[in-house]
Amino acid sequence: MKILVLNSGSSSLKFQLFIKEDLSVLASGLIEQIGNSSSGASLSFPDPSGLEKKLTRNDPVADHRQAIKVMAEMLQESGTLVDTSELAGIGHRVVHGGEAFHQPVRIDDTVIAAIEELVPLAPLHNPANLMGIRVTMEHTANTPQVAVFDTAFHQSIPEHAYLYALPYNLYEEHKVRRYGFHGTSHSFVARRAAAHLKKPIAELNIITLHLGNGASAAAICGGKCIDTSMGMTPLEGLVMGTRSGDLDPAILFYLGRESGLDMDELDSLLNKESGLKGICGENDMRTISQAAEQGDSQAKLALTIFSYRLKKYIGAYMAALGGVDAIVFTGGIGENSAMVRELSCQGLERLGIHLDTERNRLRQKEILEIHAADSRVSLLVIPTDEEYEIARQTLQVINKD
Ligand code: ADP
C-alpha cells in the first residue's frame, strides 16, 4: 500500500507518493502556476532499474480540480500509482490549525468546518489547503484523509510565551496570540537531532532554525516546543526573503501618517518588499552571498542583518530553555549557507558554541556536525523533509484509528 502527501498552495500543488511500509519515496511532483496560461506539471520517479525519470506537461491547468486530475494521470502514467485503491491514506498539509488542533487528525466534515473557521487567521493558505482536501475527497471518498497542521507542534507553547502584551480581550474575542509555523519541519529535525545524538529527545534542549524563504526559530524542551519566532502570522521574528520579521509596530502608524500608505500597502510592504529584498534588492540568499563575496556592500549588509537577528534569537532561546544541547540549521539557507551559519555563531564561544569553520564548509546530504571538538553545544545541519514527516504522521493517525 501507499501514502500520498499533498501540499496544496494558492497556485501550486506539490505531492509525494510513499511506500507505506518503509516510507521510501516512489514519486515527487509539482504543478505550478495553476490558473495561469504558463502552468506546468512535472513528476520525478525512479524507473525499475533505479534511474531517475521525469514526466512533464505544459498544458494549462485551470484550477485545483484539474490539478488533482493531472496529478492522478501522471502518477498512473509513471506506473507508481495505477489505482487509488492502492492508497492506504492521504496526508494534507494544512497551514493553520489555530487552537483547535494539537496534532494531526482524520478529516471529516467537522474537521473541514473547523479548518474553514480558521480562514481569517490564514486567508491565503487555509482556503488553498481546503480546496485540495475537498477535491481529493471527491475522487477518493473511501481513502482515509489526514490533516497535518503547521501550527500543531507549537500548541505546547505556554501562555506566557504565546500571549502578546495587548488587552486580554483581544485574545479572548479575536484569538490574537502567537501560533507559530513550520511546525512539521521543526519537529522533524528535532527528532532527527536526538536520534543522531543517540539521546532520548525528552532529555534534550534543542534550538531549531528553519531558514528558507520564510524563516523561523523554535525552542524545544524535552521534545516539546516552548517558544517560536513566528507569531500570529508568519511575518514576525527572523529576517526573511521578503518579510521584515520583528519591528517596532509604531513604524506602521508613522508610515501611515507620513507617507499616506493604506493598510493593504503596508501589508504588502512588510510581507513582499522587506527582509533581504528590502535591504539589498534581492531575496535569494544564493545570489546575495555571491554578491557579498564580490564586495557588494548592500548584499553584505543584508547578510549581516539576517545573521545578527538569528544570533539574537539563539541567545534568547538559550535563556528561555536555560541552556541548550544542540542547535539545528535547516531549510534552503540553513542547509546550504556556510556564511549564515558562521556569522550567526560568531562570538558565541563564551556560551559554549564553537563552530568548526572547516567542517562548516563541507557539503553532504546527510546530517553534518559542524561544531568544534571542544564545543559544549552540538551544531548540526539537518536536511528537512516535511513531506516525509506528513507521511509519517498520516500513517500514525491511520494506524491509531
Ligand atoms: P521555501 O521556504 O520556499 O521552501 P527553501 O527552504 O527552498 O525555501 O529555501 C530557499 C532559500 O535557500 C533561498 O534563499 C535560496 O537562495 C537559499 N539557498 C538554496 N541553496 C543555497 C546555497 N547553496 N547557498 C545559499 N543559499 C541557498
Side-chain angles (χ1 to χ4, degrees):
M1 295 291 276
K2 294 161 188 176
I3 301 276
L4 180 66
V5 168
L6 295 188
N7 181 351
S8 177
S10 53
S11 64
S12 69
L13 176 71
K14 281 192 213 162
F15 55 97
Q16 225 168 65
L17 185 68
F18 295 84
I19 294 182
K20 181 186 166 210
E21 281 63 38
D22 60 359
L23 293 186
S24 56
V25 178
L26 274 172
S28 309
L30 172 65
I31 302 176
E32 289 179 292
Q33 308 268 354
I34 298 173
N36 195 317
S37 57
S38 56
S39 43
S42 62
L43 181 80
S44 308
F45 60 101
D47 73 3
S49 66
L51 275 179
E52 196 68 9
K53 291 193 83 174
K54 198 165 183 175
L55 296 177
T56 52
R57 285 194 183 188
N58 297 314
D59 318 324
V61 179
D63 52 22
H64 282 73
R65 194 169 301 280
Q66 199 183 350
I68 299 278
K69 193 163 161 272
V70 169
M71 171 187 77
E73 286 168 4
M74 291 178 89
L75 287 170
Q76 197 170 39
E77 190 182 336
S78 69
T80 52
L81 185 73
V82 179
D83 193 279
T84 52
S85 63
E86 294 170 60
L87 287 174
I90 302 179
H92 296 268
R93 176 193 181 207
V94 179
V95 166
H96 219 306
E99 291 187 320
F101 298 105
H102 295 225
Q103 50 207 10
V105 284
R106 178 94 176 243
I107 302 174
D108 57 19
D109 289 345
T110 319
V111 170
I112 290 183
I115 298 172
E116 182 97 63
E117 242 177 71
L118 292 164
V119 165
L121 288 175
L124 295 180
H125 294 102
N126 273 26
N129 303 155
L130 270 174
M131 186 112 68
I133 291 174
R134 287 198 167 112
V135 178
T136 321
M137 286 183 91
E138 282 171 24
H139 286 269
T140 52
N142 298 322
T143 311
Q145 319 257 340
V146 174
V148 178
F149 301 91
D150 277 19
T151 48
F153 181 60
H154 302 303
Q155 278 298 301
S156 50
I157 294 176
E159 197 179 37
H160 64 261
Y162 73 64
L163 281 179
Y164 294 109
L166 288 167
Y168 193 72
N169 69 310
L170 293 180
Y171 167 60
E172 292 175 309
E173 288 164 28
H174 298 285
K175 295 286 167 219
V176 174
R177 55 159 285 179
R178 175 181 312 287
Y179 292 99
F181 299 88
H182 294 143
T184 315
S185 175
H186 287 295
S187 85
F188 172 77
V189 296
R191 280 193 311 105
R192 277 277 152 106
H196 177 79
L197 297 170
K198 299 193 170 53
K199 292 221 173 112
I201 196 163
E203 291 173 13
L204 291 170
N205 283 349
I206 303 175
I207 296 174
T208 50
L209 305 168
H210 177 103
L211 312 174
N213 284 313
S216 67
I220 301 168
C221 177
K224 293 208 176 334
C225 184
I226 62 153
D227 207 349
T228 192
S229 59
M230 282 181 168
M232 165 136 170
T233 76
L235 181 56
E236 192 181 346
L238 302 174
V239 175
M240 305 177 220
T242 62
R243 288 174 238 165
S244 63
D246 295 338
L247 83 174
D248 180 348
I251 292 171
L252 297 177
F253 321 139
Y254 175 80
L255 286 178
R257 286 190 206 107
E258 292 294 311
S259 326
L261 295 176
D262 66 22
M263 286 294 184
D264 288 341
E265 288 166 330
L266 288 170
D267 186 323
S268 169
L269 178 81
L270 262 52
N271 275 296
K272 299 194 180 131
E273 302 299 330
S274 298
L276 295 168
K277 184 180 176 194
I279 301 159
C280 71
E282 256 298 336
N283 64 297
D284 190 291
M285 187 54 91
R286 226 171 331 199
T287 318
I288 294 170
S289 305
Q290 279 160 7
E293 270 171 11
Q294 286 159 9
D296 183 312
S297 59
Q298 281 310 110
K300 269 191 202 164
L301 182 61
L303 198 57
T304 310
I305 295 175
F306 183 95
S307 307
Y308 177 66
R309 180 84 54 89
L310 198 54
K311 183 189 295 196
K312 286 211 293 190
Y313 267 93
I314 293 173
Y317 286 174
M318 285 179 82
L321 289 163
V324 67
D325 300 298
I327 298 175
V328 180
F329 291 87
T330 193
I333 297 172
E335 290 166 34
N336 296 298
S337 175
M339 215 184 286
V340 164
R341 296 192 299 252
E342 183 168 336
L343 287 172
S344 57
C345 290
Q346 226 165 45
L348 299 184
E349 292 77 14
R350 287 166 80 175
L351 299 179
I353 295 171
H354 289 256
L355 184 79
D356 180 328
T357 49
E358 295 300 314
R359 288 194 59 77
N360 184 41
R361 288 193 201 108
L362 296 177
R363 283 185 164 274
Q364 65 183 43
K365 279 203 164 156
E366 292 306 309
I367 298 182
L368 177 67
E369 289 190 353
I370 54 170
H371 49 268
D374 60 346
S375 186
R376 270 205 317 276
V377 177
S378 297
L379 302 173
L380 305 171
V381 178
I382 304 185
T384 195
D385 193 342
E386 287 163 286
E387 283 74 19
Y388 170 91
E389 182 63 13
I390 294 172
R392 192 187 69 83
Q393 294 191 17
T394 299
L395 196 54
Q396 246 178 4
V397 172
I398 295 169
N399 287 340
K400 213 167 49 191
D401 285 355

